[in-house]
Structure formats: C-alpha cells, structure tokens
Amino acid sequence: MTDRILVTAATGTVGRHVVTELVDRGATALAGTRDPGDAGDALPEPARAVALDFERPETWGPALEGVDGLFLVLPPGLDRDRVTDFADAAARVGVEQVAYLSALGAEKNPLIPHYRIERHLASAPVDHTFLRGSFFSQNLHEVHARDVRERDEIFVPAGDGATSFVDARDVGAVGATVLTEAGHRNAAYDLTGPEALTYDEVADVLSSALDRRITYADPPIPAFVRREYARGRPLGFALLMVGIYTTARLGLADRVTDDVDRVLGRPPRSMADYARDYADEFRRG
Ligand SMILES: NC(=O)c1ccc[n+]([C@@H]2O[C@H](COP(=O)([O-])OP(=O)(O)OC[C@H]3O[C@@H](n4cnc5c(N)ncnc54)[C@H](OP(=O)(O)O)[C@@H]3O)[C@@H](O)[C@H]2O)c1
C-alpha cells in the first residue's frame, strides 16, 4: 500500500486511466508529463500535474519528492537506459514500489526493451510489479481509425492470427490496484482481455457497434508499410507494427489469462465493450 503515487506517461493511453483510478481510490496522484501546463486542465481533481522528462534528469528530483509508489512507462522510441536510470533514482530517494508497464511475453524475449528493464527492476532495491499487457484494443482507433473511417476496413498484416486484446482502461485499473492494495509486490501479471479474436472477428464486432459493414483487408507487408509511410509515420514505427502483426499472424499473440479478473475481482472488458465505448472514433465526418 503506497500513499503518494507518481504516474509516468500520465497523458498516455494507459497512464491517464491509472490517474483516474487512483483519484477514485482516494490516493494522492501525481501526473508526470513533460508539459504540466498543458496536461493540468485535463486531469481529474485533485490529481496534480508535475514536470517529468526522462531525458532531463533535473526534473527527476522534484517529481519524486515524497513519492512512495511509481507507475513506470517506457515511452515509445525512448532509450531504455533513461527509464532504468530514473528507476534507480526513484529507489535512491526511497520509493517503495514500482509498477512497470511491460508487454506480454517480455520475460522470454530479449529483443524487446521490456526484457532488460524487467531484469533491471527485479534486481533493484525496490519492490516491483510487472504488468505485461497484451495488445491494447485502443490501438484500433489510436493507430488505425482512419482506415475504418475512410475505407470501412481494418488494414493490418496479421493474417488469420488471433490476438488477446486488452482494454487500456483495465490495464490502468490494474496499475492503480497493485499500487494501492497489499499483496502485489514482486509479482508479475499477464494482462489480456477475455478472449482472443482474429481481425475478421474484430471487424464483425466493429460492424455491429457502428451499424455499417467493416472488413478486414490483411494487406501484404510492403503495402502496409507503404501506406503507413505515405501517411507520415516514421519507417521505424511501421516496421515495429509489422513485427507486432507478424507475431499475431504466427499465432503467438492469442494467450488468454485470468489475471485482470484476479486483480480487479471482475472480468476484463471485451472487444464489444471497447467498440461500443469508442464508436465515435470510427464514425465519418
Ligand atoms: N500499445 C500496445 O498495445 C502495448 C501493449 C503492451 C505494452 N505496451 C507498452 O506501453 C508503453 C506505452 O504506453 P502508452 O501506450 O500508455 O503510452 P503512449 O500513449 O504512447 O504515451 C506515452 C507518453 O509518454 C510521455 N513521454 C514521451 N516522452 C517522454 C519523456 N522523454 N519523458 C517523460 N515522458 C515522456 C508522453 O507524455 P507527455 O507528452 O505528456 O510528456 C506520452 O503521453 C510502451 O512501453 C509499450 O511497449 C504497449
């Protein structure tokens, strides 16, 4: 149980939900962001924005003042050493527990940065809780909404492979729970939704929620990379997505666990829940 919690990447897909859940639980939530002026207005009361930039160590001390619990995120594209250095600084000033947002299978995959960060935290003088998330449902609108809006299609190269999509709101709720309730220190959770779905099945769920026909395109990898690149996405990001969708294509992303239910005491949100709640993101005009 920690009292004062710093959430890193607090404006991000998961962090924003950690902050909301902490506020609901009556914990003191500090929302770490590079731009506290901008983020402050969007925060639920009484959460407070604090300046935190992993690349500016001079922001670390003030952000960590009096903090007992840390929700730690590696922002996409950032050097992992910035995050492990920050975790070391947190341990030095007396932070008791770090809940780290990792990825499903990270403990067996030295190719991804989460592997090394987990190992670093496991041997650091601070309690850890690893939250190994499956692929977020929210990627569908954050990355791919335009294809659905403009072409009524999901355009990802995942073949017939199924993915155990997890809702980022549930990941955020788990983050807040493990930092505010006893019994989660030095543990790891594999966070998935209630089922694994192919993208044909996701298209069906979206079709029902949107009341129009959405199809799954399953493009060849070069066509996918070309389209993402033409839209201004960095090549590295497009290739990262290819890696993720290839994992799904190979049938390696379909593991379903009951860890969300075990931590939250309720089942995880389904793809149908997500599609209903985020339908406006996919509507035209
Ligand atoms: N997407 C998935 O399906 C998935 C699944 C499992 C695990 N993950 C992992 O989740 C992590 C990303 O989490 P997310 O999707 O919640 O994040 P996100 O939405 O990509 O947001 C990242 C946040 O990081 C902050 N940030 C960027 N650079 C920073 C810096 N130098 N110092 C401090 N903060 C910085 C930004 O906030 P400000 O601009 O306000 O500073 C931004 O809001 C990644 O490590 C990824 O591997 C993702």
Side-chain angles (χ1 to χ4, degrees), residues 38-116:
D38 231 29
D41 297 343
L43 288 175
E45 289 279 339
R48 190 161 63 78
V50 295
L52 174 66
D53 187 337
F54 290 126
E55 298 193 288
R56 291 176 52 226
E58 67 272 22
T59 64
W60 300 0
L64 285 166
E65 211 173 302
V67 166
D68 326 280
L70 180 64
F71 185 79
L72 185 62
V73 177
L74 171 69
L78 195 80
D79 183 344
R80 66 162 196 264
D81 291 344
R82 298 286 80 76
V83 166
T84 49
D85 288 350
F86 177 74
D88 291 345
R92 274 197 302 276
V93 299
V95 169
E96 294 170 22
Q97 183 188 3
V98 176
Y100 176 63
L101 177 58
S102 184
L104 204 59
E107 73 282 15
K108 294 175 294 204
N109 187 353
L111 295 177
I112 62 173
H114 301 301
Y115 174 86
R116 292 249 170 247

Side-chain angles (χ1 to χ4, degrees), residues 16-58:
R16 72 186 66 180
H17 299 296
V18 180
V19 172
T20 306
E21 293 280 343
L22 287 172
V23 167
D24 288 350
R25 290 165 166 267
T28 303
L30 303 177
T33 166
R34 289 167 301 174
D35 189 351
D38 231 29
D41 297 343
L43 288 175
E45 289 279 339
R48 190 161 63 78
V50 295
L52 174 66
D53 187 337
F54 290 126
E55 298 193 288
R56 291 176 52 226
E58 67 272 22

Side-chain angles (χ1 to χ4, degrees), residues 2-199:
T2 48
D3 296 326
R4 187 174 161 96
I5 295 162
L6 172 63
V7 179
T8 69
T11 60
T13 308
V14 172
R16 72 186 66 180
H17 299 296
V18 180
V19 172
T20 306
E21 293 280 343
L22 287 172
V23 167
D24 288 350
R25 290 165 166 267
T28 303
L30 303 177
T33 166
R34 289 167 301 174
D35 189 351
D38 231 29
D41 297 343
L43 288 175
E45 289 279 339
R48 190 161 63 78
V50 295
L52 174 66
D53 187 337
F54 290 126
E55 298 193 288
R56 291 176 52 226
E58 67 272 22
T59 64
W60 300 0
L64 285 166
E65 211 173 302
V67 166
D68 326 280
L70 180 64
F71 185 79
L72 185 62
V73 177
L74 171 69
L78 195 80
D79 183 344
R80 66 162 196 264
D81 291 344
R82 298 286 80 76
V83 166
T84 49
D85 288 350
F86 177 74
D88 291 345
R92 274 197 302 276
V93 299
V95 169
E96 294 170 22
Q97 183 188 3
V98 176
Y100 176 63
L101 177 58
S102 184
L104 204 59
E107 73 282 15
K108 294 175 294 204
N109 187 353
L111 295 177
I112 62 173
H114 301 301
Y115 174 86
R116 292 249 170 247
I117 295 176
E118 282 197 8
R119 288 172 69 107
H120 186 93
L121 291 171
S123 60
V126 61
D127 288 333
H128 64 266
T129 310
F130 297 146
L131 308 180
R132 297 178 182 138
S134 184
F135 194 69
F136 303 154
S137 306
Q138 278 72 4
N139 293 318
L140 290 168
H141 72 270
E142 291 184 353
V143 186
H144 303 297
R146 185 168 163 191
D147 296 315
V148 177
R149 272 199 306 265
E150 294 179 0
R151 300 174 187 237
D152 289 336
E153 67 181 13
I154 301 173
F155 194 81
V156 300
D160 297 326
T163 297
S164 57
F165 295 90
V166 67
D167 195 303
R169 295 172 292 180
D170 289 337
V171 180
V174 169
T177 303
V178 300
L179 284 164
T180 54
E181 288 183 9
H184 301 292
R185 293 191 182 205
N186 304 319
Y189 298 109
D190 293 339
L191 305 178
T192 78
E195 60 195 337
L197 298 176
T198 66
Y199 282 87

